[in-house]
Amino acid sequence: MLSNFAALDLTAMPSLAAGKMRAHRVPQRPASEQSMRGYGHIVSDFARERVTIVTWPQPDWRPIVSGTGNEGGVVEDSFVMERRGEVQHAVNRAVGRSYITGWFTDPAIASEHRTPSDTSRIYTHEANYHPDGGQIFWPRDAAAFVALLARPGDDVKPEDFVAFLCDGSFGIHIDPGVWHQPVFPLAPSAEFDDRQGRVHACVAVDFVSEFGCYLEVPL
């Protein structure tokens, strides 16, 4: 199932070259325990790492009964990132969803049948967060990747996003409420171990409709 949180027509995206959309360049920084504070943390052992699950919020003054509101459990499977021509595809086998997460050229003219001339950056149109749990990405085959993240808050802006460069020697745990996209590999394709909450609620931001821009993510 192709998920499109922004509900945009992905076959008719507004053009950068024609001036219908601008690009906001996201700053990049190396991922470390210190730089990831407020976003998540470094994962050194996927098998032993536990994903954070959030208890459902208390709607009024009566408390949630202990041991309830967090019983959905977790799911685990592979998260496949594949460059098809100038289009970045993602398949989350843990939850049975697929996505288009970005383009390596002007999204208005990007083609799956043309080799990209520049893969040093990618343009993306949306991000989301999970209020009910975190998510762990672990690179198989030590694949280097970039994690696009912003701290929690529904008043998020393009300027709040940071591209964290991960060299492939570790994974990351993205905290509940932290804005993200599926991680972007530096290679044409990469597979990640994925662990996340089974309930998997999503809240999304649409950069195109809300801010008139794409995020330009350096790779």
Side-chain angles (χ1 to χ4, degrees):
M1 176 172 57
L2 182 65
S3 295
N4 181 10
F5 299 139
L8 298 169
D9 182 354
L10 299 181
T11 66
M13 299 297 288
S15 173
L16 287 165
K20 295 182 179 179
M21 201 61 42
R22 65 184 177 88
H24 172 79
R25 177 81 172 182
V26 175
Q28 188 185 88
R29 67 182 66 162
S32 67
E33 285 292 355
Q34 182 175 4
S35 67
M36 290 279 293
R37 287 176 185 166
Y39 303 91
H41 62 265
I42 299 297
V43 172
S44 57
D45 187 340
F46 179 79
R48 301 182 63 168
E49 186 74 20
R50 297 185 65 181
V51 67
T52 302
I53 300 297
V54 176
T55 299
W56 289 353
Q58 180 180 322
D60 209 326
W61 61 271
R62 296 184 187 274
I64 301 293
V65 173
S66 179
T68 69
N70 55 8
E71 301 166 279
V74 300
V75 288
E76 180 181 322
D77 209 318
S78 62
F79 208 123
V80 180
M81 301 296 294
E82 181 183 20
R83 189 188 305 163
R84 301 179 193 171
E86 297 168 323
V87 183
Q88 180 70 62
H89 284 259
V91 179
N92 184 343
R93 291 176 177 158
V95 298
R97 292 180 180 272
S98 60
Y99 320 83
I100 290 175
T101 60
W103 301 267
F104 292 94
T105 188
D106 186 342
I109 60 169
S111 169
E112 295 190 2
H113 308 290
R114 184 169 52 234
T115 301
S117 60
D118 185 356
T119 59
S120 67
R121 81 290 180 263
I122 189 169
Y123 299 105
T124 192
H125 61 302
E126 65 181 11
N128 72 95
Y129 70 82
H130 311 309
D132 47 10
Q135 187 167 9
I136 299 168
F137 287 94
W138 177 267
R140 297 181 180 178
D141 301 321
F145 64 95
V146 166
L148 177 68
L149 306 176
R151 289 190 171 98
D154 277 11
D155 292 327
V156 70
K157 302 180 296 298
E159 299 80 36
D160 297 325
F161 282 84
V162 177
F164 289 93
L165 179 61
C166 306
D167 66 7
S169 64
F170 54 83
I172 60 170
H173 178 289
I174 301 172
D175 286 345
V178 169
W179 294 96
H180 64 280
Q181 271 281 46
V183 296
F184 298 111
L186 274 58
S189 64
E191 196 163 344
F192 298 81
D193 288 314
D194 169 44
R195 184 178 295 138
Q196 61 188 97
R198 185 180 298 275
V199 174
H200 188 60
C202 289
V203 179
V205 57
D206 171 0
F207 304 120
V208 171
S209 300
E210 295 184 41
F211 300 100
C213 72
Y214 297 105
L215 294 197
E216 181 182 343
V217 184
L219 300 180

Coordinates of all heavy atoms in Angstrom, one line a residue, residues 147-189:
A147 N 19.7 10.7 8.7 CA 18.4 10.8 9.4 C 17.9 12.2 9.5 O 18.6 13.1 10.1 CB 18.5 10.2 10.8
L148 N 16.8 12.5 8.8 CA 16.2 13.8 8.8 C 15.2 13.9 10.1 O 14.2 13.2 10.1 CB 15.4 14.1 7.6 CG 14.7 15.4 7.5 CD1 15.6 16.6 7.4 CD2 13.7 15.4 6.2
L149 N 15.6 14.8 11.0 CA 14.8 14.8 12.3 C 14.5 16.3 12.7 O 15.3 17.2 12.4 CB 15.6 14.2 13.4 CG 16.1 12.7 13.2 CD1 17.0 12.3 14.3 CD2 14.9 11.8 12.9
A150 N 13.4 16.4 13.4 CA 13.1 17.7 14.1 C 12.5 17.4 15.5 O 11.8 16.4 15.6 CB 12.2 18.6 13.3
R151 N 12.8 18.2 16.4 CA 12.3 18.0 17.8 C 10.7 18.1 17.8 O 10.1 18.7 17.0 CB 12.9 19.0 18.8 CG 14.4 18.7 19.0 CD 14.9 19.5 20.2 NE 16.2 19.1 20.6 CZ 17.3 19.7 20.2 NH1 17.3 20.8 19.4 NH2 18.5 19.3 20.7
P152 N 10.1 17.5 18.9 CA 8.7 17.4 19.0 C 8.0 18.8 19.0 O 8.6 19.8 19.4 CB 8.4 16.7 20.3 CG 9.6 15.9 20.5 CD 10.8 16.7 19.9
G153 N 6.8 18.9 18.5 CA 6.0 20.1 18.5 C 5.2 20.3 17.2 O 5.8 20.2 16.1
D154 N 3.9 20.4 17.2 CA 3.1 20.5 16.0 C 3.3 21.8 15.3 O 2.9 22.0 14.1 CB 1.6 20.4 16.4 CG 1.2 18.9 16.5 OD1 2.1 18.0 16.5 OD2 0.0 18.6 16.5
D155 N 4.0 22.8 15.9 CA 4.3 24.1 15.2 C 5.6 24.0 14.5 O 6.3 25.0 14.3 CB 4.2 25.3 16.2 CG 2.8 25.5 16.7 OD1 1.9 25.3 15.9 OD2 2.7 26.0 17.8
V156 N 6.0 22.8 14.1 CA 7.3 22.6 13.4 C 7.4 23.4 12.1 O 6.4 23.7 11.4 CB 7.5 21.1 13.2 CG1 6.6 20.6 12.0 CG2 9.0 20.8 12.9
K157 N 8.7 23.9 11.8 CA 9.0 24.6 10.6 C 10.1 24.0 9.9 O 10.9 23.2 10.5 CB 9.3 26.1 11.0 CG 8.2 26.8 11.8 CD 8.7 28.2 12.1 CE 9.9 28.3 13.0 NZ 9.6 27.7 14.3
P158 N 10.3 24.3 8.6 CA 11.4 23.7 7.9 C 12.8 24.0 8.6 O 13.7 23.2 8.5 CB 11.4 24.4 6.5 CG 9.9 24.7 6.3 CD 9.4 25.0 7.7
E159 N 12.9 25.2 9.2 CA 14.2 25.5 9.9 C 14.5 24.7 11.1 O 15.6 24.7 11.6 CB 14.1 27.0 10.3 CG 13.9 28.0 9.2 CD 12.5 28.1 8.7 OE1 11.6 28.0 9.6 OE2 12.3 28.3 7.5
D160 N 13.5 23.9 11.6 CA 13.7 23.1 12.7 C 14.4 21.7 12.4 O 14.9 21.0 13.3 CB 12.4 22.8 13.4 CG 11.7 24.0 13.9 OD1 12.4 24.9 14.4 OD2 10.5 24.0 13.9
F161 N 14.5 21.4 11.1 CA 15.0 20.1 10.7 C 16.6 20.1 10.6 O 17.2 21.0 10.2 CB 14.4 19.6 9.4 CG 13.0 19.1 9.6 CD1 11.9 20.0 9.6 CD2 12.8 17.7 9.8 CE1 10.6 19.5 9.8 CE2 11.5 17.3 10.0 CZ 10.4 18.2 10.0
V162 N 17.1 18.9 11.0 CA 18.6 18.7 10.9 C 18.8 17.3 10.2 O 18.0 16.4 10.5 CB 19.2 18.6 12.3 CG1 20.7 18.3 12.2 CG2 19.0 20.0 13.1
A163 N 19.8 17.2 9.4 CA 20.2 16.0 8.7 C 21.3 15.4 9.5 O 22.4 15.9 9.4 CB 20.5 16.3 7.3
F164 N 21.1 14.3 10.2 CA 22.2 13.6 11.0 C 22.8 12.6 10.1 O 22.2 11.6 9.7 CB 21.6 13.0 12.2 CG 21.1 14.0 13.3 CD1 19.8 14.5 13.3 CD2 22.0 14.5 14.2 CE1 19.4 15.4 14.2 CE2 21.6 15.4 15.1 CZ 20.3 15.9 15.2
L165 N 24.1 12.7 9.9 CA 24.9 11.8 9.2 C 25.4 10.7 10.0 O 26.1 10.9 11.0 CB 26.1 12.5 8.5 CG 27.1 11.7 7.7 CD1 26.3 11.1 6.5 CD2 28.3 12.5 7.2
C166 N 25.0 9.4 9.6 CA 25.4 8.2 10.4 C 26.3 7.4 9.5 O 25.9 7.1 8.3 CB 24.1 7.4 10.7 SG 22.9 8.4 11.7
D167 N 27.4 6.9 10.0 CA 28.4 6.3 9.1 C 28.2 4.8 8.9 O 29.0 4.2 8.2 CB 29.8 6.5 9.7 CG 30.1 5.8 11.0 OD1 29.2 5.1 11.5 OD2 31.2 6.1 11.6
G168 N 27.1 4.2 9.4 CA 26.8 2.8 9.2 C 27.3 1.9 10.3 O 27.0 0.7 10.3
S169 N 28.1 2.4 11.3 CA 28.6 1.6 12.3 C 27.7 1.5 13.5 O 28.0 0.8 14.5 CB 30.0 2.1 12.8 OG 29.8 3.4 13.4
F170 N 26.5 2.2 13.5 CA 25.5 2.1 14.5 C 24.2 2.4 14.0 O 24.0 2.8 12.8 CB 25.9 3.2 15.6 CG 26.0 4.6 15.1 CD1 24.9 5.4 14.8 CD2 27.3 5.1 14.8 CE1 25.1 6.7 14.3 CE2 27.4 6.4 14.2 CZ 26.3 7.2 14.0
G171 N 23.1 2.1 14.8 CA 21.8 2.5 14.4 C 21.3 3.7 15.3 O 22.1 4.2 16.1
I172 N 20.0 4.0 15.1 CA 19.5 5.1 15.9 C 18.1 4.7 16.4 O 17.4 4.0 15.8 CB 19.4 6.4 15.1 CG1 18.5 6.3 13.9 CG2 20.8 6.9 14.7 CD1 18.1 7.6 13.2
H173 N 17.8 5.2 17.6 CA 16.4 5.2 18.1 C 15.8 6.6 18.0 O 16.4 7.5 18.6 CB 16.4 4.7 19.6 CG 15.1 4.7 20.2 ND1 14.4 5.8 20.6 CD2 14.3 3.6 20.6 CE1 13.2 5.5 21.1 NE2 13.1 4.1 21.2
I174 N 14.7 6.7 17.2 CA 14.1 8.0 17.1 C 13.0 8.1 18.2 O 12.1 7.2 18.3 CB 13.4 8.2 15.7 CG1 14.5 8.1 14.6 CG2 12.7 9.5 15.6 CD1 13.9 8.0 13.2
D175 N 13.0 9.1 19.0 CA 12.1 9.2 20.2 C 10.7 9.4 19.7 O 10.4 10.0 18.7 CB 12.5 10.3 21.1 CG 13.8 9.9 21.9 OD1 14.1 8.7 22.0 OD2 14.4 10.8 22.6
P176 N 9.7 9.0 20.5 CA 8.3 9.3 20.3 C 8.1 10.8 20.1 O 8.7 11.6 20.8 CB 7.5 8.8 21.5 CG 8.4 7.8 22.0 CD 9.8 8.2 21.8
G177 N 7.3 11.3 19.1 CA 7.0 12.7 18.9 C 8.1 13.4 18.1 O 7.8 14.6 17.7
V178 N 9.2 12.8 17.8 CA 10.2 13.4 16.9 C 9.9 13.3 15.5 O 9.6 12.2 15.0 CB 11.6 12.8 17.2 CG1 12.6 13.2 16.2 CG2 12.0 13.1 18.6
W179 N 9.9 14.4 14.8 CA 9.6 14.4 13.3 C 10.7 13.7 12.6 O 11.9 13.9 12.9 CB 9.5 15.9 12.8 CG 8.3 16.6 13.4 CD1 8.3 17.5 14.5 CD2 7.0 16.6 12.9 NE1 7.1 18.0 14.7 CE2 6.2 17.5 13.7 CE3 6.3 16.0 11.8 CZ2 4.9 17.7 13.5 CZ3 5.0 16.2 11.6 CH2 4.3 17.1 12.4
H180 N 10.3 12.9 11.5 CA 11.3 12.2 10.8 C 10.7 11.8 9.4 O 9.5 11.8 9.2 CB 11.8 10.9 11.5 CG 10.7 9.9 11.8 ND1 9.7 10.1 12.8 CD2 10.4 8.8 11.1 CE1 8.9 9.0 12.7 NE2 9.2 8.3 11.7
Q181 N 11.6 11.3 8.6 CA 11.3 10.6 7.4 C 12.0 9.2 7.5 O 12.9 9.1 8.4 CB 11.8 11.3 6.1 CG 10.9 12.3 5.5 CD 9.8 11.6 4.6 OE1 9.2 10.6 5.0 NE2 9.6 12.1 3.4
P182 N 11.7 8.2 6.7 CA 12.5 7.1 6.7 C 13.9 7.5 6.3 O 14.2 8.4 5.6 CB 11.9 6.2 5.5 CG 10.5 6.6 5.5 CD 10.5 8.1 5.9
V183 N 14.9 6.9 7.0 CA 16.3 7.3 6.8 C 16.7 7.2 5.3 O 16.3 6.3 4.6 CB 17.3 6.5 7.7 CG1 16.9 6.8 9.2 CG2 17.2 5.0 7.5
F184 N 17.6 8.1 4.9 CA 18.1 8.1 3.5 C 19.5 7.5 3.4 O 20.4 8.0 4.0 CB 18.1 9.6 3.0 CG 16.8 10.3 3.0 CD1 16.6 11.3 3.8 CD2 15.8 9.9 2.1 CE1 15.4 12.0 3.8 CE2 14.6 10.6 2.1 CZ 14.4 11.6 2.9
P185 N 19.6 6.4 2.7 CA 20.9 5.8 2.5 C 21.8 6.6 1.5 O 21.2 7.3 0.6 CB 20.7 4.4 2.0 CG 19.4 4.6 1.2 CD 18.6 5.6 2.0
L186 N 23.1 6.6 1.7 CA 24.0 7.2 0.7 C 24.1 6.4 -0.5 O 24.4 6.9 -1.6 CB 25.3 7.5 1.3 CG 25.5 8.8 2.1 CD1 24.5 8.9 3.3 CD2 26.9 9.0 2.7
A187 N 24.0 5.1 -0.4 CA 24.1 4.2 -1.6 C 22.7 4.1 -2.3 O 21.7 4.5 -1.8 CB 24.4 2.8 -1.1
P188 N 22.7 3.6 -3.5 CA 21.5 3.5 -4.3 C 20.4 2.6 -3.6 O 19.2 2.8 -3.8 CB 21.9 2.8 -5.6 CG 23.4 3.2 -5.7 CD 23.9 3.2 -4.3
S189 N 20.8 1.7 -2.8 CA 19.8 0.9 -2.1 C 20.4 0.4 -0.7 O 21.7 0.3 -0.6 CB 19.3 -0.3 -2.9 OG 20.4 -1.2 -3.1

